[in-house]
């Protein structure tokens, strides 16, 4: 884990080791949201309790059957977890605990590993309990979660599928569908960078590439060779980092060059299966790279994702792209999908030599259209050769946080999305 603020940097001095004999965070919590107990290969057992408040760990305590070093490691792990989100706490490693303690004797370093493993297990328990009691589940509409009862017009199999889909969708806080009126406007690039930036801001993010005609997310995210693991019942997404995972139709095709020629109902089935079978776990955001246009596939996605979904419509500034967007906004209103806003990509080029702006495809069309259609305008991202290079290299531009006009414009957009979602935290 990088850039962690350590509460203690001084090492285990005699005073500190006394402190770990009687740590203040020793013993079970009377109320807790997550709990785990692990016995390490050395035979010592460690037990952690976590209590949450507003998405952060507000109280953490432990016990152990081990002696001094195990107490020190357990105490430090629970201190480090305090005030962090479960995702951040799950990233606390053995090395972080050792560094915070100023080291342990070589033969006792495994105590820090046991502590970090127990902490991870407790955060997983926390997520499981949250999913089981998810209030979203009760809020779902009849198309999804009130699927407790089988409808007259559906078979047992369809009923099960609907329930499975509802269960998955209920574990996702926000769903953002990236739409565009036509191809080539940068929709996938935007989806990849948005997912990357949200994950960098500490959110748990899934990126789903449902562009059955040209799945480009695996390449853009540098996971082209990713193998999808899973069972009959569920598919495991391919991890890009601890809190960012990708699933793409591209992973399931034999060759990235194979064209996909499926009929509408089959595509609907694939999309449903994707949404229902991918084991994302608890997510703050699912970013969906949808196929361009307003045909069957965007329609399927809009219908299947259920509540808490919004659309970002990507356009370029010129007239022809703008008229496609008009259709896209109308489509969203027809399928009752709220439009988070219009995003104008490839909006002018800054001359790398003199800095002067050249409006290759005109500029401002997206903003004018947003005003005309009464939807928010999210911003303008200029043409930037670095975007192309980053995409070709399989590292989304925002991953390395470069100083470029496109990156700055992008971060502004992500910040306004986070603010609009009221999810409580801005960019770090
Ligand atoms: P879509 O998903 O809409 O078909 P892509 O995301 O695949 O579009 O982008 C099409 C091409 O445009 C890619 O080569 C991509 O690198 C490039 N591109 C996208 N946005 C920008 C930008 N702001 N500046 C420069 N090139 C861009």
């Amino acid at each position: 884990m990088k850039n962690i603020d350590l509460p203690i940097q001084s090492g285990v001095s005699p005073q500190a080791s006394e402190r770990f004999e009687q740590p203040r965070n020793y013993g079970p919590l009377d109320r807790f949201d997550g709990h785990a107990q692990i016995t390490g290969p050395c035979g010592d057992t460690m037990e952690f309790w976590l209590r949450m408040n507003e998405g952060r760990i507000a109280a953490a305590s432990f016990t152990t059957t081990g002696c001094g070093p195990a107490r020190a490691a357990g105490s430090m792990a629970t201190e480090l977890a305090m005030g962090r989100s479960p995702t951040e706490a799950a990233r606390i490693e053995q090395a972080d605990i050792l560094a915070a303690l100023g080291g342990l004797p070589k033969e006792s370093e495994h105590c820090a590993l046991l502590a970090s493993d127990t902490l991870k297990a407790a955060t997983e328990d926390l997520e499981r309990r949250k999913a089981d009691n998810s209030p979203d589940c009760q809020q779902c509409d009849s198309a999804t979660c009130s699927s407790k009862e089988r409808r007259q017009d559906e078979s047992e199999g369809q009923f099960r599928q609907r329930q499975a889909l509802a269960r998955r969708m209920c574990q996702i806080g926000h769903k953002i569908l990236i739409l565009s009126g036509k191809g080539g406007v940068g929709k996938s690039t935007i989806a990849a960078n948005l997912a990357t930036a949200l994950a960098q801001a500490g959110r748990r993010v899934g990126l789903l590439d449902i562009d059955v005609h040209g799945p480009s997310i695996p390449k853009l995210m540098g996971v082209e060779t990713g193998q999808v693991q899973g069972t009959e019942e569920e598919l495991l997404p391919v991890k890009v980092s601890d809190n960012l995972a990708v699933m793409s139709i591209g992973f399931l095709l034999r060759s990235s060059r194979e064209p996909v020629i499926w009929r509408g109902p089959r595509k609907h089935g694939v999309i449903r299966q994707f949404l229902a079978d991918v084991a994302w776990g608890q997510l703050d955001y699912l970013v969906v790279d949808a196929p361009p246009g307003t045909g069957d596939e965007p329609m399927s996605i809009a219908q299947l994702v259920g509540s808490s979904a919004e659309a970002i419509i990507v356009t370029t500034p010129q007239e022809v792209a703008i008229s496609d967007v008009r259709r896209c906004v109308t489509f969203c209103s027809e399928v009752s999908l709220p439009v988070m806003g219009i995003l104008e990509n490839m909006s002018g080029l800054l001359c790398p030599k003199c800095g002067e702006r050249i409006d290759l495809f005109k500029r401002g069309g997206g903003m004018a259209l947003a005003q005309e259609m009464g939807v928010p305008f999210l911003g303008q991202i200029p043409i930037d050769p670095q975007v192309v290079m980053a995409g070709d290299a399989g590292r989304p531009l925002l991953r390395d946080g470069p100083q470029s006009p496109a990156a700055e414009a992008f971060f502004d957009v992500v910040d306004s999305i986070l603010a609009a979602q009221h999810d409580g935290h801005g960019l770090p």
Side-chain angles (χ1 to χ4, degrees), residues 359-382:
D359 290 332
L360 283 182
F361 303 134
K362 297 202 224 162
R363 199 166 161 249
M367 188 187 282
L369 183 67
Q371 276 167 358
E372 180 200 316
M373 310 233 31
V375 295
F377 183 65
L378 293 174
Q380 294 168 320
I381 297 178

Side-chain angles (χ1 to χ4, degrees), residues 315-319 322 344-350 356-369 377 379-383 405 409:
T315 183
T316 51
Q318 68 268 48
E319 206 56 58
I322 297 289
E344 187 177 289
N345 189 27
M346 307 193 195
S347 177
L349 166 74
L350 295 183
E356 194 195 331
R357 171 168 213 121
I358 306 158
D359 290 332
L360 283 182
F361 303 134
K362 297 202 224 162
R363 199 166 161 249
M367 188 187 282
L369 183 67
F377 183 65
Q380 294 168 320
I381 297 178
I383 296 173

Side-chain angles (χ1 to χ4, degrees), residues 180 182-191 211 214 216 220 289-290 292 314 344-348 381-392 397 406 410:
S180 65
K182 63 189 213 100
V185 297
K187 176 178 53 61
S188 303
T189 306
I190 303 281
D211 191 345
S216 51
L220 289 173
D289 183 13
V314 181
E344 187 177 289
N345 189 27
M346 307 193 195
S347 177
I381 297 178
I383 296 173
D384 184 343
Q386 284 195 51
V387 172
V388 183
M389 285 187 281
D392 288 350
L397 181 71
F410 221 119

